[in-house]
Amino acid sequence: MHRTRLSLAVASASTLALGLLACSGASDPQMLDDGTGGAGGTDLPTAQVTSGYVASTFGFFYPDGLESQFDGFDLDGRVSSADAPANDECPHDDFVSPDGTPGIDYNFMQIIFDSRMKEDGQFFFGGFREGQLVDGVINGAVKNGSMTVLLDVQGVDDFDNDDEVTVQVFGSEDSPFKGTDDEVLPFATLSVHPDTAYHTEVLTGSIVDGVLTAGPFDLVFPINIQIVRDEFVVREAWLQIELGDETFQGLIAGLWDVTNIRDIIGKPTTDNGNAANFTIEEFEEAMAAHADADFDADSGLCGAFTTMFTFSGVQAFIARGGGVGPGMPGSGGAGGAMPPPIDSPRDQCVGDADRAALDAAGGPGAIGELAADCPGSACGAELTDVLTSGGSDASRIALGDCIAQCIADGSGLSPMCTDCYGSIAACSTAFCLQPCAADPGSQECAQCALDNCPSLDECTGL
């Protein structure tokens, strides 16, 4: 199998690097415990890890204004007019998409674009405008772990058109990994929230012209944003996303209950010096005037807003059903408990362009040999960082990226294909130092890579 050869070759490069570090005095002999018997290790529950995404941005969708046209969802299945509301709805106008499709629902825009001014010259609800208080706090929350959002997409056979894919969204107690530029880094492993209330059901969606659509579903996230500790709930939601190379971007639209909004904004507007620059009474008045969903015949008011959020993110590994966390070296660890088996992305090298590049390079075996050479020939600094950091996520990601680029430079394969080789080689190096440094040809070394890293055959599809 290509994967076994790759794991062993990378382990050999790790052994060479360890020797060089020892000769130069750069390594601490006590850094790598022999892990006999897993002394000091942490036994973590078994988890299934799949490839997915972690959100790096999340916030209100901001069109050009109330009069603009934009794509979205007809959440209630009808075209509404403020001049002629139906008997079971609150008066409001729906929006129109750029292609002329009517019925687009997003009446929370009435709050965002409220044009009234306060005596101090500020907009009544200016905190909801782009770049202001609420916008900044929400966007920061998905990066700092206050509201981590995970997205799992499986079964994609064609990124342009696919009539059946599965989607699931999770909250998480983990914080995304960030670079020095404060941007979320890809390929970290993050656990789903242990409370299944923060997991959506598994959705069946489809991809049409590169856009994945799935729904309806109820979305519940725990939030811990500064002084706000509550749940963020969007009901009867739909998502629409585009999947790119290691990224996604798109929309979530649904119903946001007035009671949930009140719970979330109550403290900033009443208990903390009017931090949002409006009182809860002012906001109650606006909600009564503009809420457009869940009509109550007795009061003549609506109990929810149609709303829309944009979000984007980067690829990540999603751990389900157990934990991944730090620990002392065990029997095969590089400084932590061994990670659970990983189900990597599938069939990343089967496109016509990649097959042609593979043939020109001499086949998958030749690419495996190139991947084995890259740690020593092009990625020495990244390899050293993995060894000296105990296999940290950031160092592993950097090594995987370097190996992937090295392979791309030498083969012309696509980024999605080379990422398979790079991330799996880096995984083998980071998590299998103990058995592979001792004997790269041992069964223990091979089994460690098989048990704890993605399958190269499945990832590439070769």
Side-chain angles (χ1 to χ4, degrees):
M1 294 174 61
H2 318 310
R3 178 166 166 250
T4 302
R5 184 190 313 165
L6 174 62
S7 301
L8 297 181
V10 172
S12 298
S14 302
T15 304
L16 174 61
L18 282 170
L20 292 174
L21 288 170
C23 293
S24 66
S27 68
D28 181 351
Q30 296 180 347
M31 180 190 71
L32 296 176
D33 188 276
D34 65 8
T36 304
T42 302
D43 291 331
L44 298 176
T46 301
Q48 176 191 4
V49 177
T50 61
S51 180
Y53 303 87
V54 57
S56 56
T57 67
F58 193 98
F60 293 107
F61 171 59
Y62 293 104
D64 293 333
L66 286 172
E67 305 304 321
S68 62
Q69 296 181 336
F70 52 87
D71 289 318
F73 295 86
D74 181 0
L75 296 170
D76 58 10
R78 59 186 170 189
V79 178
S80 300
S81 169
D83 295 330
N87 292 332
D88 60 346
E89 69 173 348
C90 296
H92 70 282
D93 290 318
D94 284 347
F95 296 92
V96 179
S97 70
D99 66 3
T101 302
I104 305 300
D105 290 306
Y106 183 17
N107 220 50
F108 198 78
M109 277 182 63
Q110 299 289 348
I111 300 290
I112 294 174
F113 290 103
D114 192 315
S115 60
R116 292 178 297 162
M117 303 289 288
K118 300 174 75 72
E119 291 182 0
D120 59 7
Q122 298 186 29
F123 288 105
F124 254 75
F125 305 113
F128 288 98
R129 292 186 173 231
E130 189 169 9
Q132 300 304 308
L133 175 68
V134 179
D135 179 47
V137 168
I138 294 176
N139 262 304
V142 297
K143 293 184 179 182
N144 64 26
S146 299
M147 193 179 81
T148 303
V149 180
L150 306 179
L151 175 68
D152 187 25
V153 181
Q154 297 291 328
V156 178
D157 299 318
D158 185 335
F159 283 90
D160 292 320
N161 292 282
D162 194 324
D163 59 5
E164 186 173 332
V165 298
T166 60
V167 182
Q168 194 169 15
V169 185
F170 306 93
S172 174
E173 293 182 316
D174 296 340
S175 298
F177 291 89
K178 295 189 293 183
T180 56
D181 58 357
D182 201 43
E183 295 301 317
V184 174
L185 295 171
F187 303 120
T189 300
L190 301 163
S191 299
V192 303
H193 200 287
D195 188 341
T196 57
Y198 304 127
H199 305 181
T200 71
E201 61 185 293
V202 178
L203 311 170
T204 299
S206 61
I207 300 176
V208 178
D209 295 333
V211 178
L212 190 163
T213 302
F217 59 97
D218 291 340
L219 193 67
V220 184
F221 294 137
I223 57 173
N224 183 0
I225 302 174
Q226 297 180 2
I227 56 177
V228 178
R229 288 178 174 83
D230 214 294
E231 291 182 342
F232 172 70
V233 182
V234 181
R235 297 185 295 107
E236 301 176 36
W238 287 80
L239 66 79
Q240 191 175 78
I241 59 175
E242 295 181 49
L243 302 175
D245 289 341
E246 304 168 5
T247 63
F248 80 89
Q249 61 179 353
L251 301 170
I252 289 179
L255 307 186
W256 195 12
D257 288 340
V258 166
T259 54
N260 186 233
I261 301 172
R262 185 186 295 112
D263 289 342
I264 291 173
I265 71 167
K267 285 187 177 293
T269 54
T270 57
D271 298 342
N272 291 275
N274 195 18
N277 199 42
F278 54 82
T279 67
I280 192 66
E281 290 78 18
E282 289 171 333
F283 200 68
E284 291 278 8
E285 180 183 349
M287 290 193 291
H290 298 303
D292 64 318
D294 289 352
F295 178 76
D296 178 67
D298 293 334
S299 66
L301 300 175
C302 284
F305 279 93
T306 55
T307 192
M308 187 149 49
F309 302 90
T310 60
F311 71 138
S312 62
V314 296
Q315 200 163 13
F317 292 111
I318 300 176
R320 311 182 191 211
V324 254
M328 296 297 289
S331 59
M338 291 303 294
I342 291 175
D343 181 12
S344 71
R346 295 174 177 267
D347 301 332
Q348 303 297 294
C349 303
V350 298
D352 292 342
D354 279 330
R355 288 191 178 277
L358 281 166
D359 289 343
I367 300 301
E369 292 172 3
L370 175 60
D373 291 337
C374 286
S377 64
C379 306
E382 289 80 3
L383 177 60
T384 299
D385 285 344
V386 169
L387 301 176
T388 56
S389 69
S392 70
D393 282 307
S395 66
R396 189 181 77 248
I397 291 166
L399 177 60
D401 288 346
C402 181
I403 294 173
Q405 186 60 53
C406 173
I407 298 169
D409 292 342
S411 66
L413 290 169
S414 69
M416 294 180 68
C417 179
T418 58
D419 278 347
C420 287
Y421 290 94
S423 61
I424 295 168
C427 174
S428 300
T429 303
F431 292 124
C432 298
L433 288 182
Q434 295 296 332
C436 295
D439 182 1
S442 68
Q443 178 60 36
E444 289 78 8
C445 175
Q447 193 62 48
C448 174
L450 290 169
D451 288 344
N452 297 286
C453 294
S455 163
L456 184 65
D457 292 339
E458 292 181 358
C459 187
T460 62
L462 302 175

